[in-house]
Amino acid sequence: MSILAIGINHTTATVDVREKVAFQPEHLEHALQSLVQQGKVSESVIVSTCNRTELYCKAESGDAAPIIQWLANFHSLPVEQVAQHVYQHKDEQAISHLMAVASGLDSLVLGEPQIFGQVKDAYDAARKAGTIGALFDRLFQSTFAAAKNVRTDTSVGENAVSVAFSAVNLAKHIFADLSDAEVLLVGAGETAELAARHLREQGVRKLSVANRTVARAQELTDVVGGEAYTLDQLKGLLSKSDIIISSTASPVPIIGKGWVETAIKARRHKPMLFIDLAVPRDIEEEVGTLNDVYLYTVDDLQKIVSKNLAQREKAAAEARTIIQQHVADFTAWVQSLNSVDILREYRTQGQRIANEQKERALNAIAAGRDPEEVIHQLAQRLANTLMHKPTTAIQQAGRDNDIYSLAAYQKLIHHEADE
């Protein structure tokens, strides 16, 4: 029996390849059951997100080829196309990889928290599909415990490592309560959308979006809420805004020092935070010289991101130590489970032999045989029967020069002699 992790992620394949091997939620139950039914896998969990598709399997052997073949067949792809992007891990490496994934250590953004919920959803889907047994139930419970320990005992997820998130964190430091702040997004592209989502998560209620075309601004506000405006209305919006985050593709600045001076007067010098995420700049550099104005550029935020990344990398090393301990604990549990099975089988076999020899001896005594002679023969037969298989095994280990097995047998014999 082996535990295998087979996957394709953002480090091994482009988006178009990842899309081809992704599993839609409505197809996941069928996929899980199909994977088990193909006969090489007895338990399975599939984690499928925009950045990764991973198959965790309890397999009858360590050979990943049948599982990769199944993945290709399920998505109607040539196996060669899939295989060139696949990575695979086995047993302890597979367990360690799963725990690292759930802890956010293998994510595109180091320490991102969403993957933990996605792994839990994958586990729940597998339970519903009936592809979780005792081994994987314990494995995933151990994984969730490891991920929680990483979150609690390290700072791997605490420091912002995206420019948009850093911008929002910066706003939190300047405005204690973002729920009372009025925020203006200038531009409605991907960066603006990401910033808007972070702002909403931090409690921002008053959000406006100004864009070259009001239709695109409206598309964004339809997703994140707020009011949509055109750039022609920008000058008038400034005086109403506490926080301005700009990220347009304009080749020249669109917010000048004069506009901001006018806005500050209208606000009676209530502070304003400008965050310029555009390259080239959206906001004139001279704006930063005004009183009651804070101006940060993308370069300023990139320095924060770089520092935070370094801190996360340090925390990640601490997290991997935690994961190693959880891997060791789970592996020890698996080994103890195997020893329990062996002991149970060994004791059952020994009891069966003892009962057979006892019945034989009682029948001999009942037939009039000398009890002393019967007991002597009982002891001899019992010893011969119990020693037969171990003797054969020791002889075979000697022929194979299996020093590890010979050492174990020697330890057992000496232990019994001491007793």
Side-chain angles (χ1 to χ4, degrees):
M1 183 275 294
S2 292
I3 295 174
L4 300 179
I6 296 152
I8 292 175
N9 69 11
H10 57 277
T11 64
T12 66
T14 56
V15 173
D16 61 318
V17 174
R18 299 200 303 270
E19 287 177 343
K20 290 176 182 176
V21 296
F23 292 86
Q24 298 303 315
E26 61 269 22
H27 300 149
L28 196 53
E29 183 174 351
H30 168 63
L32 287 160
Q33 293 170 348
S34 169
L35 177 55
V36 170
Q37 288 166 1
Q38 53 95 18
K40 303 295 183 182
V41 171
S42 57
E43 297 184 51
S44 67
V45 173
I46 297 175
V47 177
S48 188
T49 72
C50 58
N51 283 326
R52 72 179 63 245
T53 290
E54 293 186 334
L55 283 59
Y56 294 93
C57 304
K58 176 186 174 185
E60 63 182 31
S61 74
D63 184 11
I67 300 170
I68 297 172
Q69 182 70 62
W70 173 87
L71 178 63
N73 291 346
F74 190 88
H75 292 291
S76 302
L77 297 169
V79 68
E80 297 81 8
Q81 181 182 351
V82 174
Q84 65 179 316
H85 299 289
V86 161
Y87 51 86
Q88 51 186 287
H89 304 290
K90 180 181 175 183
D91 296 332
E92 287 192 20
Q93 287 186 343
I95 298 163
S96 179
H97 177 75
L98 171 60
M99 292 182 179
V101 167
S103 302
L105 303 187
D106 193 61
S107 298
L108 181 61
V109 176
L110 179 64
E112 62 96 358
Q114 288 85 359
I115 187 64
F116 178 78
Q118 291 166 335
V119 173
K120 287 202 75 172
D121 289 344
Y123 164 78
D124 290 338
R127 286 193 65 186
K128 182 180 178 182
T131 61
I132 290 277
L135 182 71
F136 268 30
D137 185 63
R138 181 67 174 250
L139 171 59
F140 277 81
Q141 294 305 324
S142 297
T143 295
F144 301 145
K148 288 176 182 177
N149 281 160
V150 167
R151 290 285 165 189
T152 302
D153 300 339
T154 76
S155 58
V156 73
E158 290 180 2
N159 301 305
V161 290
S162 74
V163 169
F165 194 24
S166 293
V168 176
N169 269 9
L170 186 60
K172 284 170 62 181
H173 285 296
I174 295 174
F175 295 88
D177 188 357
L178 291 184
S179 64
D180 292 330
E182 296 202 25
V183 180
L184 171 62
L185 298 178
V186 184
E190 184 178 337
T191 301
E193 180 175 347
L194 188 57
R197 292 184 185 276
H198 289 317
L199 288 163
R200 287 299 193 199
E201 289 170 3
Q202 297 302 321
V204 168
R205 295 190 300 241
K206 302 169 185 176
L207 183 67
S208 300
V209 180
N211 192 57
R212 183 175 58 83
T213 60
V214 73
R216 173 55 193 146
Q218 186 65 58
E219 287 179 16
L220 179 53
T221 55
D222 286 344
V223 174
V224 300
E227 300 294 327
Y229 300 92
T230 68
L231 290 182
D232 293 336
Q233 299 168 283
L234 180 56
K235 183 179 179 181
L237 292 169
L238 290 178
S239 62
K240 303 174 184 178
S241 306
D242 302 305
I243 301 167
I244 298 92
I245 301 176
S246 190
S247 58
T248 76
S250 173
V252 296
I254 58 176
I255 298 176
K257 181 181 178 183
W259 281 12
V260 178
E261 285 178 319
T262 302
I264 282 288
K265 290 177 182 177
R267 291 168 57 84
R268 297 184 179 181
H269 295 274
K270 183 181 177 183
M272 300 178 73
L273 169 63
F274 287 85
I275 300 176
D276 191 348
L277 302 182
V279 179
R281 293 170 182 254
D282 276 345
I283 303 168
E284 286 183 350
E285 189 175 359
E286 292 75 16
V287 168
T289 66
L290 297 173
N291 292 330
D292 305 308
V293 171
Y294 301 90
L295 172 61
Y296 292 87
T297 68
V298 70
D299 288 341
D300 297 323
L301 295 179
Q302 196 59 57
K303 291 175 184 176
I304 297 173
V305 166
S306 297
K307 180 181 178 181
N308 288 349
L309 263 177
Q311 292 174 338
R312 280 202 179 189
E313 289 288 354
K314 181 181 178 182
E318 298 170 359
R320 292 192 183 281
T321 300
I322 293 172
I323 287 172
Q324 286 174 1
Q325 184 57 56
H326 280 272
V327 171
D329 291 346
F330 177 77
T331 303
W333 175 79
V334 172
Q335 291 171 346
S336 72
L337 183 68
N338 291 339
S339 68
V340 167
D341 291 341
I342 293 170
L343 283 171
R344 185 183 297 114
E345 183 178 354
Y346 183 70
R347 288 179 178 277
T348 300
Q349 187 180 76
Q351 192 62 53
R352 177 180 56 77
I353 292 170
N355 288 338
E356 289 174 354
Q357 295 303 326
K358 181 184 73 173
E359 285 297 318
R360 186 172 178 179
L362 290 174
N363 289 337
I365 291 173
R369 296 273 304 275
D370 179 19
E372 185 175 345
E373 181 184 352
V374 170
I375 291 173
H376 175 76
Q377 291 179 346
L378 167 65
Q380 192 65 45
R381 283 197 301 268
L382 195 58
N384 289 340
T385 305
L386 290 174
M387 288 191 297
H388 174 68
K389 287 185 178 180
T391 300
T392 302
I394 291 170
Q395 290 171 337
Q396 186 62 49
R399 287 192 291 269
D400 295 340
N401 196 29
D402 183 355
I403 60 174
Y404 297 103
S405 294
L406 288 171
Y409 296 139
Q410 186 180 56
K411 182 178 180 181
L412 177 64
I413 292 168
H414 286 172
H415 179 69
E416 287 182 343
D418 291 341
E419 292 183 343

